[in-house]
Amino acid sequence: GENVEQHPSTLSVQEGDSAVIKCTYSDSASNYFPWYKQELGKGPQLIIDIRSNVGEKKDQRIAVTLNKTAKHFSLHITETQPEDSAVYFCAASISSTDKLIFGTGTRLQVFP
Amino acid sequence: DAMVIQNPRYQVTQFGKPVTLSCSQTLNHNVMYWYQQKSSQAPKLLFHYYDKDFNNEADTPDNFQSRRPNTSFCFLDIRSPGLGDAAMYLCATSPTGGWAYEQYFGPGTRLTVT
């Protein structure tokens, strides 16, 4: 069945450094790849997404890259701030459905 | 300005006592989803509606039911909650079906079973 692997499971960085989270998906027909940020006790918040016809997308300090050949995509956060601390989930669409399959999450801690 | 609203935010129920969680949306989206999330694990899809068309996941226990009386509201009914059903329940909406679009999540309802 469809699967999304996410690494690392935890990531600690110093404020101002960059953070990179990587995901690999199994369904070659997946065409939509969102990233969610979830703070403690809250619902996931969509922070950026990318579709299969685009290789990279950037929004201020966050960017996502997609390599369809290798079936992996990554989230890049530059100039990290303590408020970036949260759990981040990647997801991939399941072909021909309106469903997503989620990665296992990465707990990011940004130390001042 | 809340677009996906879940009530209550915290719910405590007794083992075996039916409970209903509610979700409403102001986005007029066709698709509504219910997810279960435990201990910072990934959200697990229970079922979803495309308009009134109900789609159950194969591994969703029969104990979980859902109703969508209109576009704006969706309910999750847990008929006989067990201790293993304690979790965060997340509602999400999406603008259309048959093609993956962005899903917008509510704040969740934290269910405790005593």
Side-chain angles (χ1 to χ4, degrees):
Chain A
E2 299 88 359
N3 183 49
V4 174
E5 293 186 2
Q6 182 171 347
H7 298 282
S9 56
T10 60
L11 180 59
S12 296
V13 300
Q14 203 74 32
E15 182 178 2
D17 288 350
S18 295
V20 180
I21 303 170
K22 298 181 179 181
C23 288
T24 304
Y25 60 98
S26 61
D27 184 356
S28 57
S30 292
N31 54 24
Y32 174 66
F33 308 92
W35 285 90
Y36 288 88
K37 174 184 180 182
Q38 188 172 25
E39 296 175 334
L40 192 63
K42 297 183 179 180
Q45 176 192 4
L46 178 67
I47 57 171
I48 196 167
D49 56 12
I50 192 168
R51 296 195 180 273
S52 58
N53 57 347
V54 175
E56 183 174 358
K57 184 176 178 181
K58 189 174 181 180
D59 182 4
Q60 299 182 350
R61 294 188 298 108
I62 59 173
V64 57
T65 58
L66 172 65
N67 183 328
K68 282 213 72 180
T69 303
K71 291 192 286 187
H72 67 69
F73 57 112
S74 301
L75 178 71
H76 304 252
I77 306 174
T78 58
E79 300 172 30
T80 54
Q81 301 167 3
E83 50 265 39
D84 294 329
S85 298
V87 178
Y88 291 81
F89 290 98
C90 64
S93 61
I94 300 174
S95 58
S96 303
T97 76
D98 39 24
K99 300 191 289 187
L100 299 174
I101 182 165
F102 284 83
T104 48
T106 296
R107 182 173 298 279
L108 173 65
Q109 288 185 300
V110 181
F111 292 98
Chain B
D1 287 80
M3 296 180 289
V4 183
I5 303 158
Q6 291 189 244
N7 285 303
R9 294 293 313 280
Y10 302 92
Q11 176 73 58
V12 180
T13 191
Q14 292 177 334
F15 182 94
K17 185 174 181 181
V19 66
T20 295
L21 311 181
S22 74
C23 176
S24 63
Q25 54 134 337
T26 60
L27 298 163
N28 204 34
H29 284 172
N30 295 92
V31 193
M32 293 187 78
Y33 307 81
W34 278 106
Y35 289 88
Q36 180 191 65
Q37 187 179 33
K38 295 184 176 183
S39 308
S40 291
Q41 294 179 19
K44 178 180 180 298
L45 183 63
L46 296 173
F47 25 59
H48 74 287
Y49 282 90
Y50 177 47
D51 290 330
K52 284 193 173 289
D53 183 21
F54 178 71
N55 299 274
N56 197 34
E57 293 301 296
D59 57 354
T60 298
D62 292 340
N63 197 26
F64 291 85
Q65 304 285 317
S66 184
R67 297 169 283 135
R68 189 179 185 185
N70 54 52
T71 300
S72 301
F73 285 87
C74 196
F75 299 96
L76 170 62
D77 301 307
I78 309 177
R79 294 193 296 187
S80 182
L83 298 178
D85 296 327
M88 174 80 91
Y89 289 88
L90 297 163
C91 174
T93 73
S94 186
T96 191
W99 171 263
Y101 280 85
E102 52 272 27
Q103 293 187 20
Y104 297 95
F105 284 83
T109 295
R110 167 85 53 198
L111 178 68
T112 301
V113 182
T114 61

